[in-house]
Amino acid sequence: MVGHDRFQRIPWGLVGLPFVTSKNDLGLQERDQHDFDDHRRPLVRALRLGSFALLVVTIVSLMSWGGYQGLPGIWGVLIGAAMAGGFLLVTVVSMLFTASTTPTTTGAVVLGTWLMKVIVVFLVLVLIRDLEFYSHVAFFVTLLMTLIVVLVTEAYGVITSRVTYLSA
């Protein structure tokens, strides 16, 4: 009975199980079935989780550095979180923007945005290098923590996304 036609349409290697005769027998709604086929799903999940992680790190850093160093600590946190979060999340946004194009176009856009981000980060660092209105330590610690937490969270979002690898 394994070669029977009705079992050929069943996903996830469940062929041959007598109680599974369609996707709806697995408890999936029609909307859920289409969500698994969306190739942008891992990127959307990475953007959502990365944005949430950026918000959490920024709030925790604002509370700690604001309480410890006052207004200079707050400015250092805001600049560091904006630079690190912007640098990382713009990449995901550019990939989502070009998700329906050719791989060459996606690569060109990602490379172009990366080059622009590096130039902007360099210019901002040159401009704020000698300024004293922000805490350099708060800036550095927040920048480093934001980079680590957002990168790990984005990677987790992509890795744990449930998508199909083959379509019918």
Side-chain angles (χ1 to χ4, degrees):
M1 188 127 198
V2 174
H4 193 271
D5 182 49
R6 68 181 178 148
F7 290 112
Q8 299 302 322
R9 296 182 307 245
I10 299 173
W12 305 299
L14 296 176
V15 175
L17 295 178
F19 58 89
V20 179
T21 58
S22 70
K23 290 181 182 179
N24 287 333
D25 288 344
L26 296 172
L28 297 176
Q29 300 298 322
E30 189 67 28
R31 181 185 57 81
D32 294 334
Q33 295 169 9
H34 295 297
D35 285 346
F36 292 127
D37 294 335
D38 186 13
H39 66 281
R40 297 168 8 115
R41 184 180 173 106
L43 295 173
V44 171
R45 183 170 159 85
L47 181 62
R48 185 176 58 240
L49 292 177
S51 299
F52 180 73
L54 174 63
L55 182 67
V56 169
V57 169
T58 303
I59 290 171
V60 169
S61 293
L62 281 171
M63 291 187 318
S64 60
W65 287 106
Y68 179 64
Q69 292 186 339
L71 193 58
I74 291 173
W75 278 112
V77 167
L78 291 176
I79 296 169
M83 284 182 63
F87 193 90
L88 295 174
L89 295 177
V90 165
T91 303
V92 178
V93 170
S94 68
M95 291 178 73
L96 275 170
F97 181 70
T98 60
S100 298
T101 62
T102 65
T104 304
T105 304
T106 301
V109 169
V110 169
L111 182 62
T113 57
W114 183 83
L115 183 60
M116 286 191 322
K117 291 185 302 185
V118 168
I119 291 170
V120 168
V121 166
F122 179 73
L123 289 175
V124 168
L125 289 176
V126 166
L127 291 174
I128 67 170
R129 175 180 43 186
D130 297 327
L131 300 178
E132 296 294 327
F133 74 94
Y134 71 99
S135 168
H136 297 269
V137 176
F139 168 75
F140 176 74
V141 170
T142 303
L143 183 85
L144 190 63
M145 291 305 298
T146 303
L147 284 171
I148 292 169
V149 171
V150 173
L151 273 174
V152 167
T153 307
E154 284 180 345
Y156 174 79
V158 170
I159 290 170
T160 59
S161 292
R162 293 174 42 180
V163 293
T164 54
Y165 293 102
L166 300 172
S167 61

